[in-house]
Amino acid sequence: MNERRRSFVLTFGRSGSSLLCALMSDAGADFGLTAPSEWDPRDGVLEHPDIKRAAHHMRRAYDIDHGRRYRFSPELEARWRRRRARHWLKRALPQARCFKIGDLDLLVQMSFALGYEPRVILNYRDFEHALASTLVGRKHIGADDLAADYLRICRQGVVLVQTFGGCVVGYEEMLGAPGGPWINALAQSAGLEVGTLRAAAAARIRGNAPILADTPSAYPECRRLHELLRGLSGRSFEPSRTVMRAIEARRARR
């Protein structure tokens, strides 16, 4: 077993990530937490507290870098936030082998810099369907800001998958094809036994995939990105040559 390998489940939210991680946990993935016996689509589960803290600070640093202001000098606070993110990430990484939380796309590169070997599992859903669910629970964040988050997480997720290795798993694929090609891609990317993962999916997945209405979109860029993600589903990506050279150099120094 590769002691430095870590799986990062990236998600915008409301896309079945809790179900996905519960399946992985049932198949032996270590999230440092116990998976619930029942999946409640309204709740987030298997979110390690230290990775939540790391993601919180890294997101604040990201917002400052992109023009949002907080209490202190923007440059000083952004630097402080990144240090706090690194502190909590260093604490989290030895405690589990798999992680899931919003804004996790901002931590993948830092985990690699800390000497780990990340694999990225990008979980996605059609934006309009995810938006309808997300807006209900939000009081101060509107649809435009949420669309910007969706584009950032999914676009960066695609690049991170292709750079560090991993796969793309869609909400519709999970519910509509519990034994589909995404199972094989997920098993290979997360280092899980495909038969055990398939059995976990058969035991937990009881819903039906929603029918996506062919209606005009207020966010066509999100819809185009969703089509790109659907085209990547079912494929497992190996780390890029550049990443593998860096990993091999590290191993040679140990």
Side-chain angles (χ1 to χ4, degrees):
M1 180 182 294
N2 186 343
E3 294 295 326
R4 308 300 290 178
R5 182 164 163 174
R6 295 294 183 271
S7 295
F8 292 81
V9 179
L10 275 52
T11 177
F12 166 73
R14 316 311 301 169
S15 55
S17 59
S18 293
L19 172 61
L20 174 62
C21 292
L23 299 180
M24 293 171 62
S25 179
D26 291 348
D30 172 22
F31 285 86
L33 301 165
T34 302
S37 57
E38 295 292 332
W39 170 56
D40 185 341
R42 297 167 296 181
D43 293 335
V45 300
L46 294 171
E47 297 174 352
H48 195 283
D50 287 347
I51 206 73
K52 289 175 73 171
R53 295 181 182 103
H56 167 79
H57 285 292
M58 202 64 176
R59 174 57 191 265
R60 291 296 180 269
Y62 174 88
D63 286 343
I64 292 166
D65 289 342
H66 288 77
R68 190 169 294 177
R69 293 295 183 257
Y70 288 91
R71 291 169 293 178
F72 313 121
S73 158
E75 294 78 11
L76 290 176
E77 181 161 357
R79 194 179 308 142
W80 179 80
R81 293 283 186 180
R82 279 189 284 270
R83 285 201 302 269
R84 297 308 296 163
R86 188 175 187 274
H87 165 80
W88 288 111
L89 183 61
K90 285 182 71 174
R91 280 184 53 131
L93 289 170
Q95 297 183 60
R97 294 181 179 276
C98 302
F99 297 96
K100 182 262 287 187
I101 191 65
D103 297 316
L104 195 54
D105 59 300
L106 302 175
L107 292 172
V108 173
Q109 290 163 264
M110 185 179 285
S111 75
F112 186 70
L114 289 171
Y116 289 83
E117 299 175 16
R119 296 293 185 276
V120 177
I121 299 158
L122 176 58
N123 171 236
Y124 73 95
R125 186 180 184 182
D126 172 74
F127 175 65
E128 273 88 354
H129 282 76
L131 178 64
S133 180
T134 304
L135 284 174
V136 172
R138 300 295 183 97
K139 297 178 181 178
H140 307 296
I141 302 177
D144 285 355
D145 287 336
L146 291 169
D149 280 354
Y150 181 90
L151 290 169
R152 188 205 85 224
I153 292 166
C154 292
R155 278 197 300 230
Q156 291 201 150
V158 169
V159 175
L160 292 169
V161 166
Q162 294 173 336
T163 301
F164 294 102
C167 66
V168 174
V169 180
Y171 180 82
E172 293 86 5
E173 287 89 351
M174 274 198 299
L175 294 188
W182 66 271
I183 285 275
N184 292 39
L186 177 60
Q188 184 171 344
S189 298
L192 302 172
E193 204 281 318
V194 66
T196 308
L197 189 59
R198 199 179 301 278
R204 282 195 183 262
I205 298 177
R206 304 185 187 93
N208 295 315
I211 298 174
L212 301 181
D214 187 16
T215 57
S217 172
Y219 297 97
E221 190 174 2
C222 292
R223 182 160 290 184
R224 288 193 295 271
L225 182 53
H226 178 254
E227 289 304 310
L228 169 66
L229 295 169
R230 289 182 67 183
L232 296 175
S233 184
R235 296 174 57 186
S236 176
F237 291 83
E238 293 298 315
S240 68
R241 185 176 300 177
T242 303
V243 167
M244 286 308 304
R245 279 202 299 264
I247 289 173
E248 288 162 4
R250 286 177 183 171
R251 291 174 181 171
R253 290 194 295 268
R254 288 177 191 157

